[in-house]
Amino acid sequence: MVDLLVVVPHPDDESFGSGGALLLAKRAGLRTGVLTLTRGEAGRTLGLCPREALGQVRTEELRKAAAILEVDHLEVLDFPNGLPQGAEGEGRGQARGPGLLEHPEAEAAIRERLLGLRPRFVLTFPPDGLNGHPDHVAASRYATRAAEGLAQVVYFVRPEGPWPVTHRLRLPEWALVRKLQALAQHRTQALSVLGFMERYPERLWVESFYVVGRSPAEEVREEPWW
Ligand SMILES: [Zn+2]
């Protein structure tokens, strides 16, 4: 049983999108979980491992990050990881077909976990997937549908829209330290980490959320939603 379950497609999404929320929820006494739908085998290898080993290596990176984030429950499913648009080229692991969007049965797999774990909150990508990655879009769709009638869905969103921000978490120093350490476990994805730091450094210590269905308050609540 968990109180808060993060549902994302790739190892590293949990730390980027919700590392702070996971830490603060845990500190507040909630039980937390991460369900990853793919093993991220189509990501970059940076030459750190053979292409065919990337799924295994990223699963291991995720285990280390989840331990730092003090996650109570971690499960990694093995749906295929799709490539983002324009990412074809060398230096990647092995994609198996077009990815998660072509696997709507993932919704039932998520629902089965929700029935077992009974989270009160499911935290995932907003419907546009934040950066448009088709796996992010798919994960948002499946998780939102799977949670119907079972859990409150919460999206981690950009501060500037298009989804309303209802809650904002400003991470205290101890949580930022741990989130950065968790991100650093995703060694094979170091270029994603650096790209994020270059474009959105403030999102490392300020996480924005939309509690789905909540009418956006005039003022964003600077407090957790749980
Ligand atoms: Zn991702």
Side-chain angles (χ1 to χ4, degrees):
M1 305 276 274
V2 300
D3 299 296
L4 167 63
L5 183 67
V6 172
V7 180
V8 287
H10 312 126
D12 77 6
D13 294 328
E14 80 298 331
S15 298
F16 279 120
S18 55
L22 282 165
L23 285 161
L24 295 182
K26 176 74 180 177
R27 182 63 61 100
L30 277 70
R31 286 182 58 83
T32 61
V34 171
L35 174 63
T36 304
L37 303 178
T38 84
R39 305 196 313 155
E41 70 277 2
R44 294 188 189 88
T45 66
L46 297 190
L48 293 171
C49 67
R51 299 179 66 202
E52 62 279 6
L54 186 61
Q56 183 54 43
V57 169
R58 291 193 69 182
T59 302
E60 210 38 56
E61 291 172 344
L62 173 62
R63 280 190 207 295
K64 291 179 187 163
I68 290 169
L69 296 175
E70 298 178 46
V71 167
D72 294 297
H73 175 88
L74 173 65
E75 187 174 2
V76 183
L77 302 184
D78 194 22
F79 289 101
N81 172 199
L83 286 173
Q85 267 187 337
E88 297 79 10
E90 73 280 45
R92 287 189 171 260
Q94 291 175 313
R96 293 173 288 157
L100 201 52
L101 264 180
E102 301 292 311
H103 289 269
E105 71 274 20
E107 180 185 325
I110 298 168
R111 191 160 176 96
E112 194 184 309
R113 270 68 184 185
L114 298 186
L115 288 169
L117 292 168
R118 288 281 166 193
R120 286 190 285 141
F121 303 101
V122 168
L123 179 56
T124 187
F125 281 94
D128 65 356
L130 275 188
N131 62 358
H133 192 305
D135 285 352
H136 294 178
V137 171
S140 177
R141 183 180 306 165
Y142 303 151
T144 302
R145 287 188 193 151
E148 237 174 65
L150 292 180
Q152 169 68 56
V153 178
V154 181
Y155 295 142
F156 41 81
V157 297
R158 283 185 292 275
E160 67 278 7
W163 315 98
V165 176
T166 56
H167 295 73
R168 192 157 49 210
L169 294 181
R170 198 170 291 273
L171 307 193
E173 191 176 305
W174 69 266
L176 176 60
V177 167
R178 290 204 150 223
K179 178 176 172 177
L180 292 175
Q181 288 173 326
L183 279 168
Q185 303 312 307
H186 296 286
R187 288 168 55 83
T188 57
Q189 306 310 302
L191 292 182
S192 300
V193 177
L194 291 178
F196 191 92
M197 285 172 63
E198 183 178 37
R199 281 186 303 249
Y200 319 112
E202 67 289 345
R203 277 162 56 183
L204 290 169
W205 62 89
V206 180
E207 295 181 359
S208 300
F209 303 92
Y210 169 42
V211 177
V212 176
R214 192 79 60 88
S215 66
E218 276 176 32
E219 270 186 48
V220 179
R221 302 175 77 130
E222 302 272 353
E223 59 184 14
W225 65 83
W226 52 79

